[in-house]
Amino acid sequence: MAPVTLHLRAETKPLEHRSALSPDVVQKLVENGFKVNVEKSPKNPKRIFEDADYEPYATLVDEFSWPQAPEDHLIIGLKELPEEDFPLKHTHIQFAHCYKGQAGWEQVLGRFAAGGGTLYDMEFLEDENRRRVAAFGYHAGYAGAALALENWAWQIQHAETPLPGKKPYNTQSDLVKEVKSDVSTGVARNDGKAPQILIIGALGRCGRGAIDLCLAAGIPESNLLRWDLAETSAKAGPYPEIRQADIFINCIYLDKPIPKFVTEDFLKEDPGNRKLSVVCDVSCDTTNPHNPIPFCNKATYFDKPTIAVEGFTNPPLSYITIDHLPSLLPREASEAFSNALLPSLLEFSNAENAPVWQEARKLFEKKLATLPQSQEHTKSS
């Protein structure tokens, strides 16, 4: 049997410095009989790992050359492909963001239908316990909480000015050092009071990351309100506890309709008791029809990380909805993710008998069948 060839594509999303495969994981794949082609890193966004780090194990190829790769090569990347309309003929392993009714999902899946390609969406690669085999959730929560705390501290000193843009940190310790300093300054200017933080989804990967960052930044344990299914199921939202927290961090996995967590109207009902000034929607379901935070309906970006909600002053209210938060820590996030993905990748040579890939393929075919009639093309057409 010919060896499986993986083609690691360069990322195109602005400020996306992560990689689906770290150099160490590429080495392990090659040692197990795989071939790996790695697209050279573009200058912008520059991959966190140097091209030279891959050279001992992989073949470097031109950036953005994957459309011309042989049809049997597996194209692996992280974020969604650029919005183009040519049919997709390859097998792609990536986050496609098109299975939950997100905006533009028909166009994304329609390209696979037109080209006869296959999508294995990384978000839905699950083990026998229905747990994702690899996820960026921990680092998403960690980075989201960091930005939320920095925004809180910034608001105290610059209520009328949005938080300045952020660039990726070379190491996690660099991030923690900066956040800890900013929080200390904010607490000093807030009469010595640290922020009260409510985290929904606290028991998951994302929630654990958010909690770990808060503790590393010096937030007292007593200031963290940890919610999960037990708390949100006990009563219907919107929740007064969110209104009374300084910071709300949403870390849930949204896969079905749920009651709203907080709305603008709810916050305006009792303005005198509102402390909430920062919302970080790590889940980032801005275009999901079931979004439990309706006013968080636009994406934010690292160069403009916050959006102010009009009509709220003293305190102001702004939100963070960056859909690739782990890119704030590209090295650690990439290493953790690719190492978690490795065991499943090693099974791909026998994908038809590997449950992870079998189930992901079935889900793709199920979603493909939901395309509107006008989108249902075949390769032969």
Side-chain angles (χ1 to χ4, degrees):
M1 179 183 292
V4 174
T5 299
L6 284 165
H7 183 115
L8 176 64
R9 61 176 172 83
E11 300 293 332
T12 59
K13 193 177 185 76
L15 301 177
E16 180 54 86
H17 302 280
R18 292 174 296 169
S19 175
L21 301 176
S22 68
D24 286 347
V25 164
V26 168
Q27 178 184 1
K28 292 170 184 174
L29 286 165
V30 172
E31 289 172 349
N32 280 273
F34 285 68
K35 288 187 176 182
V36 183
N37 295 331
V38 175
E39 290 187 3
K40 297 173 184 176
S41 175
K43 291 183 179 179
N44 186 24
K46 190 176 186 303
R47 188 185 290 130
I48 188 62
F49 305 111
E50 299 292 336
D51 290 344
D53 296 336
Y54 292 98
E55 276 192 297
Y57 325 108
T59 300
L60 293 179
V61 297
D62 291 339
E63 60 190 81
F64 314 128
S65 61
W66 63 266
Q68 289 78 48
E71 201 167 320
D72 62 345
H73 288 196
L74 307 180
I75 313 302
I76 186 168
L78 287 179
K79 299 305 290 183
E80 57 270 26
L81 298 171
E83 292 184 6
E84 300 184 57
D85 58 6
F86 64 86
L88 298 173
K89 63 183 180 180
H90 294 92
T91 293
H92 287 258
I93 305 172
Q94 65 176 79
F95 291 100
H97 305 297
C98 63
Y99 282 2
K100 297 189 287 184
Q102 296 98 325
W105 72 270
E106 302 101 323
Q107 289 73 28
V108 175
L109 282 178
R111 295 178 66 189
F112 286 97
T118 301
L119 170 64
Y120 290 103
D121 196 311
M122 289 174 167
E123 184 177 350
F124 300 94
L125 298 179
E126 298 177 336
D127 62 20
E128 61 275 8
N129 297 315
R130 304 301 301 274
R131 184 172 175 80
R132 289 170 62 178
V133 299
F136 282 104
Y138 179 86
H139 287 95
Y142 202 95
L147 292 180
L149 284 172
E150 292 205 312
N151 191 31
W152 173 82
W154 178 267
Q155 286 177 338
I156 290 174
Q157 304 172 68
H158 312 276
E160 303 298 322
T161 308
L163 180 70
K166 295 293 178 180
K167 293 184 177 180
Y169 294 81
N170 192 48
T171 68
Q172 188 166 299
S173 60
D174 292 339
L175 171 65
V176 171
K177 181 178 180 181
E178 180 177 302
V179 176
K180 195 169 186 177
S181 174
D182 289 347
V183 168
S184 179
T185 300
V187 169
R189 299 194 178 192
N190 193 44
D191 298 326
K193 295 182 290 186
Q196 298 286 330
I197 304 170
L198 192 153
I199 301 167
I200 297 186
L203 297 181
R205 289 187 180 104
C206 180
R208 291 198 303 272
I211 290 166
D212 285 352
L213 181 283
C214 290
L215 294 174
I219 302 300
E221 176 71 44
S222 58
N223 283 46
L224 300 179
L225 188 57
R226 309 180 188 212
W227 277 28
D228 212 273
L229 282 173
E231 289 76 15
T232 56
S233 300
K235 58 183 178 179
Y239 300 109
E241 291 86 350
I242 294 177
R243 186 167 52 199
Q244 293 159 8
D246 297 288
I247 299 172
F248 167 43
I249 303 176
N250 178 36
C251 294
I252 70 163
Y253 179 75
L254 182 63
D255 61 353
K256 60 184 178 181
I258 60 173
K260 303 305 180 188
F261 289 162
V262 63
T263 67
E264 284 187 73
D265 288 342
F266 179 72
L267 292 175
K268 292 175 180 177
E269 285 177 7
D270 192 6
N273 283 325
R274 178 181 66 88
K275 293 176 60 182
L276 184 69
S277 66
V278 177
V279 175
C280 182
D281 186 9
V282 180
S283 302
C284 204
D285 287 299
T286 55
T287 65
N288 192 308
H290 309 308
N291 181 0
I293 316 170
F295 58 83
C296 293
N297 56 13
K298 296 178 182 177
T300 65
Y301 305 92
F302 284 123
D303 57 348
K304 294 180 180 179
T306 66
I307 290 178
V309 183
E310 294 184 4
F312 291 90
T313 57
N314 193 32
L317 176 63
S318 60
Y319 65 82
I320 299 164
T321 47
I322 298 172
D323 73 355
H324 58 137
L325 281 166
S327 284
L328 203 63
L329 294 168
R331 185 177 303 278
E332 290 91 346
S334 297
E335 290 172 343
F337 180 86
S338 56
N339 272 288
L341 185 61
L342 177 61
S344 297
L345 288 175
L346 292 174
E347 293 182 329
F348 200 91
S349 57
N350 190 30
E352 63 275 11
N353 295 313
V356 168
W357 302 107
Q358 282 181 324
E359 294 304 313
R361 176 64 182 258
K362 289 178 184 176
L363 181 59
F364 166 68
E365 292 172 349
K366 178 181 178 181
K367 295 297 181 180
L368 209 63
T370 66
L371 278 171
Q373 197 70 28
S374 61
Q375 296 276 356
E376 290 179 355
H377 304 296
T378 63
K379 189 174 182 181
S380 59
S381 66

PDB file of all heavy atoms in Angstrom, residues 7 25 36 54 61 74 78 80 100 116 139 173 191 193 230 242-243 258 290 295 309 346 355 359 372:
ATOM      1  N   HIS A   7      -0.586  16.966   3.216  1.00  0.00           N
ATOM      2  CA  HIS A   7      -0.140  18.259   2.686  1.00  0.00           C
ATOM      3  C   HIS A   7      -0.576  19.330   3.677  1.00  0.00           C
ATOM      4  O   HIS A   7      -1.762  19.638   3.791  1.00  0.00           O
ATOM      5  CB  HIS A   7      -0.774  18.492   1.311  1.00  0.00           C
ATOM      6  CG  HIS A   7      -0.326  19.754   0.630  1.00  0.00           C
ATOM      7  ND1 HIS A   7       0.402  19.765  -0.548  1.00  0.00           N
ATOM      8  CD2 HIS A   7      -0.496  21.061   0.958  1.00  0.00           C
ATOM      9  CE1 HIS A   7       0.640  21.004  -0.911  1.00  0.00           C
ATOM     10  NE2 HIS A   7       0.107  21.812  -0.004  1.00  0.00           N
ATOM     11  N   VAL A  25       5.450  16.537  15.593  1.00  0.00           N
ATOM     12  CA  VAL A  25       4.424  15.604  15.131  1.00  0.00           C
ATOM     13  C   VAL A  25       4.714  15.165  13.695  1.00  0.00           C
ATOM     14  O   VAL A  25       4.500  13.998  13.337  1.00  0.00           O
ATOM     15  CB  VAL A  25       3.031  16.229  15.278  1.00  0.00           C
ATOM     16  CG1 VAL A  25       1.996  15.468  14.457  1.00  0.00           C
ATOM     17  CG2 VAL A  25       2.622  16.250  16.751  1.00  0.00           C
ATOM     18  N   VAL A  36       4.996  13.730   4.261  1.00  0.00           N
ATOM     19  CA  VAL A  36       4.406  15.024   4.622  1.00  0.00           C
ATOM     20  C   VAL A  36       5.016  16.118   3.759  1.00  0.00           C
ATOM     21  O   VAL A  36       6.240  16.251   3.681  1.00  0.00           O
ATOM     22  CB  VAL A  36       4.631  15.358   6.115  1.00  0.00           C
ATOM     23  CG1 VAL A  36       3.930  16.682   6.461  1.00  0.00           C
ATOM     24  CG2 VAL A  36       4.117  14.244   7.018  1.00  0.00           C
ATOM     25  N   TYR A  54      10.845  22.110   9.921  1.00  0.00           N
ATOM     26  CA  TYR A  54      10.197  20.973   9.257  1.00  0.00           C
ATOM     27  C   TYR A  54      11.129  20.246   8.282  1.00  0.00           C
ATOM     28  O   TYR A  54      10.882  19.092   7.930  1.00  0.00           O
ATOM     29  CB  TYR A  54       8.972  21.446   8.472  1.00  0.00           C
ATOM     30  CG  TYR A  54       7.827  21.947   9.309  1.00  0.00           C
ATOM     31  CD1 TYR A  54       7.637  23.302   9.535  1.00  0.00           C
ATOM     32  CD2 TYR A  54       6.908  21.066   9.858  1.00  0.00           C
ATOM     33  CE1 TYR A  54       6.565  23.769  10.292  1.00  0.00           C
ATOM     34  CE2 TYR A  54       5.830  21.517  10.615  1.00  0.00           C
ATOM     35  CZ  TYR A  54       5.672  22.878  10.827  1.00  0.00           C
ATOM     36  OH  TYR A  54       4.609  23.316  11.575  1.00  0.00           O
ATOM     37  N   VAL A  61       7.070  22.818   0.141  1.00  0.00           N
ATOM     38  CA  VAL A  61       6.476  23.146  -1.149  1.00  0.00           C
ATOM     39  C   VAL A  61       5.992  24.587  -1.098  1.00  0.00           C
ATOM     40  O   VAL A  61       5.932  25.211  -0.033  1.00  0.00           O
ATOM     41  CB  VAL A  61       5.311  22.188  -1.488  1.00  0.00           C
ATOM     42  CG1 VAL A  61       5.818  20.759  -1.630  1.00  0.00           C
ATOM     43  CG2 VAL A  61       4.214  22.255  -0.426  1.00  0.00           C
ATOM     44  N   LEU A  74      -3.879  14.221   1.268  1.00  0.00           N
ATOM     45  CA  LEU A  74      -4.781  14.764   2.278  1.00  0.00           C
ATOM     46  C   LEU A  74      -4.357  16.188   2.610  1.00  0.00           C
ATOM     47  O   LEU A  74      -3.208  16.418   2.999  1.00  0.00           O
ATOM     48  CB  LEU A  74      -4.751  13.922   3.550  1.00  0.00           C
ATOM     49  CG  LEU A  74      -4.999  12.424   3.424  1.00  0.00           C
ATOM     50  CD1 LEU A  74      -4.932  11.771   4.799  1.00  0.00           C
ATOM     51  CD2 LEU A  74      -6.342  12.159   2.776  1.00  0.00           C
ATOM     52  N   LEU A  78      -5.948  24.403   9.555  1.00  0.00           N
ATOM     53  CA  LEU A  78      -6.772  24.718  10.720  1.00  0.00           C
ATOM     54  C   LEU A  78      -8.025  25.475  10.331  1.00  0.00           C
ATOM     55  O   LEU A  78      -9.118  24.938  10.331  1.00  0.00           O
ATOM     56  CB  LEU A  78      -5.968  25.527  11.745  1.00  0.00           C
ATOM     57  CG  LEU A  78      -4.915  24.754  12.530  1.00  0.00           C
ATOM     58  CD1 LEU A  78      -4.183  25.689  13.478  1.00  0.00           C
ATOM     59  CD2 LEU A  78      -5.541  23.609  13.303  1.00  0.00           C
ATOM     60  N   GLU A  80     -10.827  27.924   8.191  1.00  0.00           N
ATOM     61  CA  GLU A  80     -11.572  27.731   6.964  1.00  0.00           C
ATOM     62  C   GLU A  80     -10.773  28.209   5.754  1.00  0.00           C
ATOM     63  O   GLU A  80      -9.885  29.059   5.851  1.00  0.00           O
ATOM     64  CB  GLU A  80     -12.909  28.474   7.034  1.00  0.00           C
ATOM     65  CG  GLU A  80     -12.798  29.963   7.293  1.00  0.00           C
ATOM     66  CD  GLU A  80     -12.820  30.332   8.763  1.00  0.00           C
ATOM     67  OE1 GLU A  80     -12.446  29.496   9.613  1.00  0.00           O
ATOM     68  OE2 GLU A  80     -13.193  31.474   9.072  1.00  0.00           O
ATOM     69  N   LYS A 100     -23.323  23.703  11.680  1.00  0.00           N
ATOM     70  CA  LYS A 100     -24.313  24.134  12.666  1.00  0.00           C
ATOM     71  C   LYS A 100     -25.141  25.318  12.178  1.00  0.00           C
ATOM     72  O   LYS A 100     -25.617  26.119  12.968  1.00  0.00           O
ATOM     73  CB  LYS A 100     -23.618  24.477  13.990  1.00  0.00           C
ATOM     74  CG  LYS A 100     -22.918  23.285  14.638  1.00  0.00           C
ATOM     75  CD  LYS A 100     -22.421  23.595  16.041  1.00  0.00           C
ATOM     76  CE  LYS A 100     -21.227  24.506  16.039  1.00  0.00           C
ATOM     77  NZ  LYS A 100     -20.687  24.725  17.404  1.00  0.00           N
ATOM     78  N   GLY A 116     -16.447  16.570  -5.549  1.00  0.00           N
ATOM     79  CA  GLY A 116     -16.306  15.186  -5.120  1.00  0.00           C
ATOM     80  C   GLY A 116     -15.332  15.006  -3.979  1.00  0.00           C
ATOM     81  O   GLY A 116     -14.902  13.877  -3.693  1.00  0.00           O
ATOM     82  N   HIS A 139      -6.795  26.360  25.375  1.00  0.00           N
ATOM     83  CA  HIS A 139      -6.072  27.600  25.075  1.00  0.00           C
ATOM     84  C   HIS A 139      -7.018  28.709  24.624  1.00  0.00           C
ATOM     85  O   HIS A 139      -6.708  29.895  24.805  1.00  0.00           O
ATOM     86  CB  HIS A 139      -4.990  27.328  24.034  1.00  0.00           C
ATOM     87  CG  HIS A 139      -3.824  26.565  24.583  1.00  0.00           C
ATOM     88  ND1 HIS A 139      -3.719  25.195  24.478  1.00  0.00           N
ATOM     89  CD2 HIS A 139      -2.730  26.972  25.275  1.00  0.00           C
ATOM     90  CE1 HIS A 139      -2.610  24.796  25.072  1.00  0.00           C
ATOM     91  NE2 HIS A 139      -1.997  25.851  25.568  1.00  0.00           N
ATOM     92  N   SER A 173       4.076  32.292  29.381  1.00  0.00           N
ATOM     93  CA  SER A 173       4.537  33.066  30.540  1.00  0.00           C
ATOM     94  C   SER A 173       4.584  34.553  30.231  1.00  0.00           C
ATOM     95  O   SER A 173       4.350  35.394  31.116  1.00  0.00           O
ATOM     96  CB  SER A 173       5.910  32.569  31.005  1.00  0.00           C
ATOM     97  OG  SER A 173       6.871  32.694  29.974  1.00  0.00           O
ATOM     98  N   ASP A 191     -10.430  50.631  43.904  1.00  0.00           N
ATOM     99  CA  ASP A 191     -10.542  50.594  45.366  1.00  0.00           C
ATOM    100  C   ASP A 191     -10.105  49.253  45.941  1.00  0.00           C
ATOM    101  O   ASP A 191     -10.657  48.774  46.946  1.00  0.00           O
ATOM    102  CB  ASP A 191     -11.985  50.903  45.807  1.00  0.00           C
ATOM    103  CG  ASP A 191     -12.437  52.305  45.382  1.00  0.00           C
ATOM    104  OD1 ASP A 191     -11.582  53.210  45.371  1.00  0.00           O
ATOM    105  OD2 ASP A 191     -13.619  52.465  45.050  1.00  0.00           O
ATOM    106  N   LYS A 193     -10.480  46.299  44.711  1.00  0.00           N
ATOM    107  CA  LYS A 193     -11.404  45.189  44.469  1.00  0.00           C
ATOM    108  C   LYS A 193     -11.097  44.503  43.139  1.00  0.00           C
ATOM    109  O   LYS A 193     -11.076  45.154  42.092  1.00  0.00           O
ATOM    110  CB  LYS A 193     -12.848  45.680  44.474  1.00  0.00           C
ATOM    111  CG  LYS A 193     -13.307  46.205  45.826  1.00  0.00           C
ATOM    112  CD  LYS A 193     -14.757  46.641  45.793  1.00  0.00           C
ATOM    113  CE  LYS A 193     -14.943  47.903  44.955  1.00  0.00           C
ATOM    114  NZ  LYS A 193     -16.332  48.416  45.041  1.00  0.00           N
ATOM    115  N   ALA A 230     -25.496  22.076  35.425  1.00  0.00           N
ATOM    116  CA  ALA A 230     -26.325  22.013  36.631  1.00  0.00           C
ATOM    117  C   ALA A 230     -26.922  23.378  36.947  1.00  0.00           C
ATOM    118  O   ALA A 230     -28.110  23.492  37.307  1.00  0.00           O
ATOM    119  CB  ALA A 230     -25.502  21.504  37.809  1.00  0.00           C
ATOM    120  N   ILE A 242     -25.304  37.034  35.903  1.00  0.00           N
ATOM    121  CA  ILE A 242     -24.434  37.604  34.870  1.00  0.00           C
ATOM    122  C   ILE A 242     -24.438  39.118  34.971  1.00  0.00           C
ATOM    123  O   ILE A 242     -23.384  39.762  34.878  1.00  0.00           O
ATOM    124  CB  ILE A 242     -24.890  37.146  33.465  1.00  0.00           C
ATOM    125  CG1 ILE A 242     -24.689  35.636  33.310  1.00  0.00           C
ATOM    126  CG2 ILE A 242     -24.112  37.892  32.379  1.00  0.00           C
ATOM    127  CD1 ILE A 242     -25.171  35.067  31.986  1.00  0.00           C
ATOM    128  N   ARG A 243     -25.586  39.695  35.178  1.00  0.00           N
ATOM    129  CA  ARG A 243     -25.695  41.153  35.299  1.00  0.00           C
ATOM    130  C   ARG A 243     -24.881  41.668  36.474  1.00  0.00           C
ATOM    131  O   ARG A 243     -24.343  42.791  36.436  1.00  0.00           O
ATOM    132  CB  ARG A 243     -27.169  41.531  35.462  1.00  0.00           C
ATOM    133  CG  ARG A 243     -27.462  43.014  35.450  1.00  0.00           C
ATOM    134  CD  ARG A 243     -28.956  43.293  35.296  1.00  0.00           C
ATOM    135  NE  ARG A 243     -29.755  42.548  36.276  1.00  0.00           N
ATOM    136  CZ  ARG A 243     -31.052  42.316  36.135  1.00  0.00           C
ATOM    137  NH1 ARG A 243     -31.690  42.758  35.059  1.00  0.00           N
ATOM    138  NH2 ARG A 243     -31.719  41.654  37.064  1.00  0.00           N
ATOM    139  N   ILE A 258     -31.051  26.873  23.188  1.00  0.00           N
ATOM    140  CA  ILE A 258     -31.048  26.980  24.645  1.00  0.00           C
ATOM    141  C   ILE A 258     -31.590  28.357  25.021  1.00  0.00           C
ATOM    142  O   ILE A 258     -31.608  29.271  24.195  1.00  0.00           O
ATOM    143  CB  ILE A 258     -29.636  26.797  25.241  1.00  0.00           C
ATOM    144  CG1 ILE A 258     -28.673  27.872  24.702  1.00  0.00           C
ATOM    145  CG2 ILE A 258     -29.095  25.402  24.967  1.00  0.00           C
ATOM    146  CD1 ILE A 258     -27.312  27.850  25.377  1.00  0.00           C
ATOM    147  N   HIS A 290     -28.968  30.151  17.341  1.00  0.00           N
ATOM    148  CA  HIS A 290     -29.303  29.880  18.742  1.00  0.00           C
ATOM    149  C   HIS A 290     -28.369  30.616  19.714  1.00  0.00           C
ATOM    150  O   HIS A 290     -28.306  30.269  20.896  1.00  0.00           O
ATOM    151  CB  HIS A 290     -29.242  28.374  19.013  1.00  0.00           C
ATOM    152  CG  HIS A 290     -30.025  27.559  18.028  1.00  0.00           C
ATOM    153  ND1 HIS A 290     -31.342  27.817  17.729  1.00  0.00           N
ATOM    154  CD2 HIS A 290     -29.659  26.499  17.256  1.00  0.00           C
ATOM    155  CE1 HIS A 290     -31.766  26.944  16.822  1.00  0.00           C
ATOM    156  NE2 HIS A 290     -30.768  26.154  16.520  1.00  0.00           N
ATOM    157  N   PHE A 295     -26.569  40.062  21.645  1.00  0.00           N
ATOM    158  CA  PHE A 295     -25.876  41.285  21.262  1.00  0.00           C
ATOM    159  C   PHE A 295     -24.424  41.026  20.857  1.00  0.00           C
ATOM    160  O   PHE A 295     -23.789  41.896  20.265  1.00  0.00           O
ATOM    161  CB  PHE A 295     -25.954  42.358  22.357  1.00  0.00           C
ATOM    162  CG  PHE A 295     -25.389  41.957  23.690  1.00  0.00           C
ATOM    163  CD1 PHE A 295     -24.033  42.042  23.952  1.00  0.00           C
ATOM    164  CD2 PHE A 295     -26.238  41.524  24.706  1.00  0.00           C
ATOM    165  CE1 PHE A 295     -23.525  41.697  25.199  1.00  0.00           C
ATOM    166  CE2 PHE A 295     -25.741  41.177  25.954  1.00  0.00           C
ATOM    167  CZ  PHE A 295     -24.373  41.254  26.198  1.00  0.00           C
ATOM    168  N   VAL A 309     -21.037  48.058  23.262  1.00  0.00           N
ATOM    169  CA  VAL A 309     -22.490  47.946  23.120  1.00  0.00           C
ATOM    170  C   VAL A 309     -23.075  49.322  23.400  1.00  0.00           C
ATOM    171  O   VAL A 309     -22.898  49.873  24.491  1.00  0.00           O
ATOM    172  CB  VAL A 309     -23.068  46.892  24.081  1.00  0.00           C
ATOM    173  CG1 VAL A 309     -24.575  46.750  23.855  1.00  0.00           C
ATOM    174  CG2 VAL A 309     -22.377  45.548  23.879  1.00  0.00           C
ATOM    175  N   LEU A 346      -2.474   8.700  12.754  1.00  0.00           N
ATOM    176  CA  LEU A 346      -1.756   7.448  12.499  1.00  0.00           C
ATOM    177  C   LEU A 346      -2.702   6.340  12.057  1.00  0.00           C
ATOM    178  O   LEU A 346      -2.262   5.363  11.434  1.00  0.00           O
ATOM    179  CB  LEU A 346      -0.981   7.017  13.742  1.00  0.00           C
ATOM    180  CG  LEU A 346       0.204   7.923  14.133  1.00  0.00           C
ATOM    181  CD1 LEU A 346       0.808   7.475  15.460  1.00  0.00           C
ATOM    182  CD2 LEU A 346       1.267   7.921  13.033  1.00  0.00           C
ATOM    183  N   PRO A 355     -12.933   4.071  13.861  1.00  0.00           N
ATOM    184  CA  PRO A 355     -14.190   4.743  14.228  1.00  0.00           C
ATOM    185  C   PRO A 355     -14.140   6.261  14.143  1.00  0.00           C
ATOM    186  O   PRO A 355     -15.126   6.887  13.736  1.00  0.00           O
ATOM    187  CB  PRO A 355     -14.421   4.268  15.663  1.00  0.00           C
ATOM    188  CG  PRO A 355     -13.739   2.931  15.734  1.00  0.00           C
ATOM    189  CD  PRO A 355     -12.521   3.068  14.864  1.00  0.00           C
ATOM    190  N   GLU A 359     -16.947   7.779  11.613  1.00  0.00           N
ATOM    191  CA  GLU A 359     -18.044   8.616  12.079  1.00  0.00           C
ATOM    192  C   GLU A 359     -17.978  10.023  11.481  1.00  0.00           C
ATOM    193  O   GLU A 359     -19.006  10.624  11.157  1.00  0.00           O
ATOM    194  CB  GLU A 359     -18.044   8.688  13.607  1.00  0.00           C
ATOM    195  CG  GLU A 359     -18.338   7.359  14.293  1.00  0.00           C
ATOM    196  CD  GLU A 359     -19.664   6.758  13.837  1.00  0.00           C
ATOM    197  OE1 GLU A 359     -20.667   7.517  13.805  1.00  0.00           O
ATOM    198  OE2 GLU A 359     -19.694   5.558  13.509  1.00  0.00           O
ATOM    199  N   PRO A 372     -29.335  22.545  -0.117  1.00  0.00           N
ATOM    200  CA  PRO A 372     -30.460  22.870  -1.002  1.00  0.00           C
ATOM    201  C   PRO A 372     -30.260  22.223  -2.372  1.00  0.00           C
ATOM    202  O   PRO A 372     -29.118  21.988  -2.789  1.00  0.00           O
ATOM    203  CB  PRO A 372     -30.417  24.403  -1.103  1.00  0.00           C
ATOM    204  CG  PRO A 372     -29.673  24.841   0.120  1.00  0.00           C
ATOM    205  CD  PRO A 372     -28.697  23.751   0.426  1.00  0.00           C
TER     206      PRO A 372
END
